[in-house]
Amino acid sequence: MVASIGEIWKHDTVLLDEAVAALAIQPAGIYVDGTYGRGGHSALLLQQLGANGRLIVIDKDPVAIAHARERYAHDARVFVWHGSFRDFPQAVLAAGITDKIDGLLLDLGVSSPQLDDAERGFSFMREGQLDMRMDTSKGLSAADWLNQASDTEIADVLWRYGEERFSRQIGREIVRIRQQTPLQTTTQLADLIASVIRKRELGKHPATRSFQAIRIKVNQELDDVEACLQHAVDSLAPGGRLVVISFHSLEDRIVKHYLRDVSTPPNIPRGLPVMPKMIQPPMRLIGKAVRPSDAEVQGNVRSRSAIMRIGERVA
């Protein structure tokens, strides 16, 4: 049964207060919410934004975009753009803004409404079409990819993005099974994986790692993060903040290494004449990594793996 729109839109925003506080909102500032989801961060941000401020909201998911357009149809401060956050500079230009932005917020990964809607195909716990696309208007679905990829390609993805120890066996079994019956549903794939993995991790479904890996592949999630971060320094105004919430180590490693690189002075050989501005890195780290409180994790178990990192553009 497909969830109703009201059910799909239920969502507990992770690190809500912490993320918006980290943006250090200026009432007349320009901000980008690159992963609108169901708008929790955007709603709180707008409470602090003045009449002259601007907010650009972006999401791949057409359902999320429909939510944003309906909610902010009459708010002149908000511009809604359907696409990937990797292309946020295009969204800013489409909004008619040529100035630097004062904040960029990314809440990475799959959202609770996407997981909870069986027809989206993200969850192995619910029967649904094996889709997994965040943007259902384009690209290959998970089923499309799994039914045409080689066993070695499938194994490589399962290992690289899911660290699945049985990746080769699963890849071979997928190719064998699809010759008889093409993969079409989430439970079909989950049952196949469970039949391969004999040694189970306590408290973890055997399909967990594979579903994560396939989702990352289908949506090019890590490529999007890397591409987005390459625009961050040049897009932020002095004092502008980059705030990123990650949910697994692959995402967080990219963000952590990026912030380290752009906040570390260059290694210049001793004795060379240099001006201070020549060795000033373009960004600085703001505090340590932030994790959800015990109270938040108790109220929303999906927040337990979240980690937030903050960088600020140096003048």
Side-chain angles (χ1 to χ4, degrees), residues 96-116:
I97 297 171
T98 56
D99 295 333
K100 302 289 187 181
I101 64 174
D102 297 293
L104 170 62
L105 172 64
L106 303 177
D107 183 2
L108 303 175
V110 64
S111 69
S112 293
Q114 290 168 333
L115 281 171
D116 294 338

Side-chain angles (χ1 to χ4, degrees), residues 23-61:
L23 287 169
I25 305 297
Q26 301 176 39
I30 303 167
Y31 297 90
V32 175
D33 183 349
T35 48
Y36 176 79
R38 292 304 177 268
H41 290 119
S42 285
L44 184 58
L45 190 158
L46 282 166
Q47 291 179 20
Q48 302 179 33
L49 206 61
N52 295 321
R54 295 296 304 277
L55 173 63
I56 297 95
V57 300
I58 301 170
D59 208 292
K60 284 183 175 182
D61 191 335

Side-chain angles (χ1 to χ4, degrees), residues 60-62 82-83 120 131 133-139 219:
K60 284 183 175 182
D61 191 335
H82 181 211
R120 299 301 297 272
D131 195 313
R133 289 174 297 168
M134 293 178 180
D135 187 348
T136 53
S137 67
K138 61 184 179 182
N219 294 288

Side-chain angles (χ1 to χ4, degrees), residues 77-93:
R77 300 172 299 171
V78 182
F79 179 78
V80 181
W81 195 78
H82 181 211
S84 170
F85 57 78
R86 70 181 292 159
D87 299 318
F88 78 87
Q90 295 180 28
V92 174
L93 289 175

Side-chain angles (χ1 to χ4, degrees), residues 231-288:
H231 300 301
V233 167
D234 291 338
S235 299
L236 287 168
R241 296 282 182 90
L242 170 67
V243 179
V244 186
I245 302 171
S246 305
F247 287 84
H248 61 72
S249 60
L250 295 176
E251 294 171 336
D252 183 55
R253 189 178 302 130
I254 292 171
V255 177
K256 180 181 179 180
H257 288 179
Y258 169 80
L259 287 173
R260 179 199 63 193
D261 292 345
V262 296
S263 63
T264 303
N267 188 13
I268 298 176
R270 295 179 62 183
L272 290 182
V274 294
M275 299 292 290
K277 66 180 180 180
M278 296 172 62
I279 60 174
Q280 174 67 56
M283 295 188 74
R284 69 186 183 97
L285 298 178
I286 301 296
K288 297 181 179 179

Side-chain angles (χ1 to χ4, degrees), residues 188-208:
Q188 186 183 3
L189 177 60
D191 291 344
L192 181 155
I193 295 169
S195 72
V196 173
I197 300 178
R198 304 297 184 185
K199 188 176 182 180
R200 307 294 176 86
E201 295 180 66
L202 185 63
K204 179 176 287 189
H205 191 284
T208 300

Side-chain angles (χ1 to χ4, degrees), residues 11-29:
H11 178 56
D12 292 324
T13 303
V14 175
L15 291 169
L16 173 59
D17 295 327
E18 294 88 342
V20 175
L23 287 169
I25 305 297
Q26 301 176 39

